[in-house]
Amino acid sequence: MPRISCSKGHIYDSAIYGDNCPFCPSQGSGTAVNNNNFDGSRTVGNFGGGTEVNQEAGGRTQVNGGTVGGGNPTIPMGEGNYGGVSGGTVIRPAGGGTGTSSGKRIMGLLVTYSITKPTGQVFHIYEGRNYVGRDANVDISIPNDFQVSSKHLSILYRLADGKFKFKDEQSSNGTFVNETLTDEGELNNFDVIRVGSTKLIFIAIPQIP
């Protein structure tokens, strides 16, 4: 097969691509192809659209959605796998992350004016158990209130009884509901929960049959 080299040194099959190097930048196709060669080098073709395909020697392929060109996602070089998958394909949506809800339905809200936004901030309560705390990895994170424990409080909604129940998770400063120190109980609409110096107004969302 006829193989030629373009002005940038990319080697390709001219019988398929003619005079247009498939690895050099071109407008309009919407795909960027990054080839990790067997010697550890990388050949990059950036086609200015919304998908980046990274191919590494050994059959691994990673596709990243989002804008390509001027801020491509960083793809690790060398041995290993992508996202725990070896010899397969990993497709990541733009922005990454899986989100807190994991497909669960929103059943209630916590509204606060005590954090950093004077106009208020809203947190979703999903079916199942929701954790409130200072840790960045909990469902409802309050990182700037140092009187709040890492995992301070849990709110549970069960479809079986349709009730919202809370439980203090052995926090250092306790959980107050309507300014009463309480370890656990049932939440009612418009109850005010206080953790540390942060007040959260509980609102149940009416469910339409």
Side-chain angles (χ1 to χ4, degrees), residues 4-77:
I4 63 174
S5 175
C6 73
S7 61
K8 293 188 178 181
H10 304 143
I11 299 174
Y12 65 94
D13 189 345
S14 62
I16 298 175
Y17 301 103
D19 295 330
N20 298 317
C21 174
F23 303 110
C24 287
S26 176
Q27 297 296 324
S29 70
T31 302
V33 180
N34 297 328
N35 295 308
N36 293 331
N37 303 320
F38 287 92
D39 61 359
S41 63
R42 168 175 280 190
T43 304
V44 178
N46 197 339
F47 295 85
T51 304
E52 182 179 17
V53 180
N54 300 277
Q55 296 175 331
E56 183 180 3
R60 289 185 290 273
T61 302
Q62 178 164 332
V63 181
N64 292 314
T67 301
V68 176
N72 291 344
T74 301
I75 307 302
M77 296 289 288

Side-chain angles (χ1 to χ4, degrees), residues 75-209:
I75 307 302
M77 296 289 288
E79 293 298 319
N81 57 54
Y82 295 130
V85 179
S86 180
T89 299
V90 177
I91 300 177
R92 271 184 206 158
T98 57
T100 303
S101 67
S102 301
K104 295 180 180 180
R105 192 172 185 179
I106 299 172
M107 308 307 295
L109 304 172
L110 290 178
V111 181
T112 180
Y113 298 91
S114 302
I115 303 181
T116 56
K117 297 183 179 180
T119 55
Q121 187 169 357
V122 178
F123 299 101
H124 294 160
I125 299 175
Y126 296 93
E127 57 184 333
R129 194 177 302 276
N130 305 256
Y131 285 101
V132 181
R134 197 175 71 250
D135 195 297
N137 295 319
V138 298
D139 304 292
I140 298 169
S141 178
I142 306 173
N144 298 321
D145 189 338
F146 294 99
Q147 297 180 54
V148 176
S149 297
S150 296
K151 187 182 286 187
H152 195 111
L153 163 75
S154 63
I155 298 175
L156 172 68
Y157 178 85
R158 293 189 302 188
L159 289 172
D161 54 19
K163 295 180 179 179
F164 293 86
K165 297 180 180 180
F166 71 91
K167 180 181 179 182
D168 182 87
E169 297 292 334
Q170 297 183 341
S171 65
S172 298
N173 294 310
T175 297
F176 294 79
V177 177
N178 300 323
E179 291 305 321
T180 299
L181 180 63
T182 313
D183 286 335
E184 58 184 313
E186 183 178 335
L187 287 173
N188 297 304
N189 217 15
F190 306 121
D191 278 348
V192 178
I193 304 167
R194 181 166 65 82
V195 289
S197 60
T198 301
K199 292 183 178 181
L200 302 154
I201 304 167
F202 167 71
I203 300 172
I205 298 176
Q207 298 302 304
I208 300 174

